Amino acid sequence: MDGLESLKIDLRDIGEGGQTFNFTLGDSYFEAIGAPEVRRGEADVALAVRRVAVGYFELAFHIDATVTVQCDRCLDDMRLPISTDGQLTARLGDENTVDDNLVVTVAEDDGVIDVAWNIYEFIALAMPIKHVHADGECNPAMVEALREHTAADTAADTADAQGQQAADPRWSGLEKLKTIIKD
């Protein structure tokens, strides 16, 4: 994750009152992070870090972003607005780990937590599962091709439902069994 040095926070420098960090991230961030779903984007991140106990820290993220993803319908790029909040607990310990309670342990001798991937995860979790343009904004050629294939599939399904195609002979034994049970 080269070029993301500004997203590394030294927890040992956080005072009793906490500290706030603001980041403006662009396309280079999403390229550097290797974001699997996001092609491009801009994000404004506000991160408040506060010490909650000796060696324990709470990281509160607020992210406003606009990301470019692929439309599931027409496969063209589409812009998706994201606004999300996230929380993370970190503690100083022996080595870098994440436990079952989602507490990130940062090696005490290093004391630095890299929040680059956490920011991406909060953005990815806030995105809807289905990415589709608003009505009328999809690529017209792809919509027409989709409509043609869907119409052909619908016609075949209708023909099957009306029994116009020959039934699979493997099912004929079951059809006889249904008739016997009814009687």
Side-chain angles (χ1 to χ4, degrees):
M1 290 186 218
D2 296 335
L4 302 176
E5 290 298 316
S6 66
L7 298 174
K8 293 182 179 180
I9 310 296
D10 191 342
L11 296 175
R12 297 171 299 180
D13 291 344
I14 304 299
E16 291 300 320
Q19 192 170 349
T20 302
F21 300 88
N22 292 299
F23 307 106
T24 300
L25 308 173
D27 293 342
S28 60
Y29 162 77
F30 291 102
E31 289 171 16
I33 200 82
E37 287 188 53
V38 177
R39 296 177 176 202
R40 292 182 306 280
E42 304 87 37
D44 291 319
V45 180
L47 169 60
V49 181
R50 68 182 185 97
R51 187 182 302 263
V52 292
V54 175
Y56 280 84
F57 302 87
E58 181 180 273
L59 289 79
F61 297 81
H62 176 75
I63 304 167
D64 288 316
T66 302
V67 296
T68 301
V69 297
Q70 184 179 48
C71 176
D72 293 336
R73 183 181 301 139
C74 72
L75 307 179
D76 280 358
D77 284 351
M78 64 175 283
R79 295 182 52 81
L80 189 63
I82 302 290
S83 184
T84 188
D85 294 307
Q87 296 259 333
L88 185 65
T89 302
R91 73 178 186 91
L92 298 175
D94 295 333
E95 59 185 41
N96 293 335
T97 60
V98 178
D99 69 14
D100 292 339
N101 297 322
L102 297 177
V103 175
V104 176
T105 302
V106 176
E108 193 164 2
D109 58 332
D110 183 22
V112 175
I113 185 169
D114 185 350
V115 296
W117 187 253
N118 301 104
I119 291 169
Y120 173 72
E121 284 182 335
F122 289 130
I123 291 170
L125 289 172
M127 291 189 311
I129 292 173
K130 189 174 183 180
H131 312 137
V132 179
H133 282 110
D135 287 341
E137 291 183 17
C138 276
N139 180 331
M142 286 297 284
V143 170
E144 184 57 34
L146 181 62
R147 190 173 292 130
E148 287 174 12
H149 288 287
T150 304
D153 290 343
T154 304
D157 291 343
T158 304
D160 285 343
Q162 294 174 353
Q164 293 176 355
Q165 291 184 343
D168 187 337
R170 295 176 291 181
W171 294 106
S172 62
L174 289 174
E175 289 297 327
K176 290 178 188 174
L177 186 60
K178 282 176 38 180
T179 308
I180 293 171
I181 292 174
K182 284 184 183 178
D183 293 338

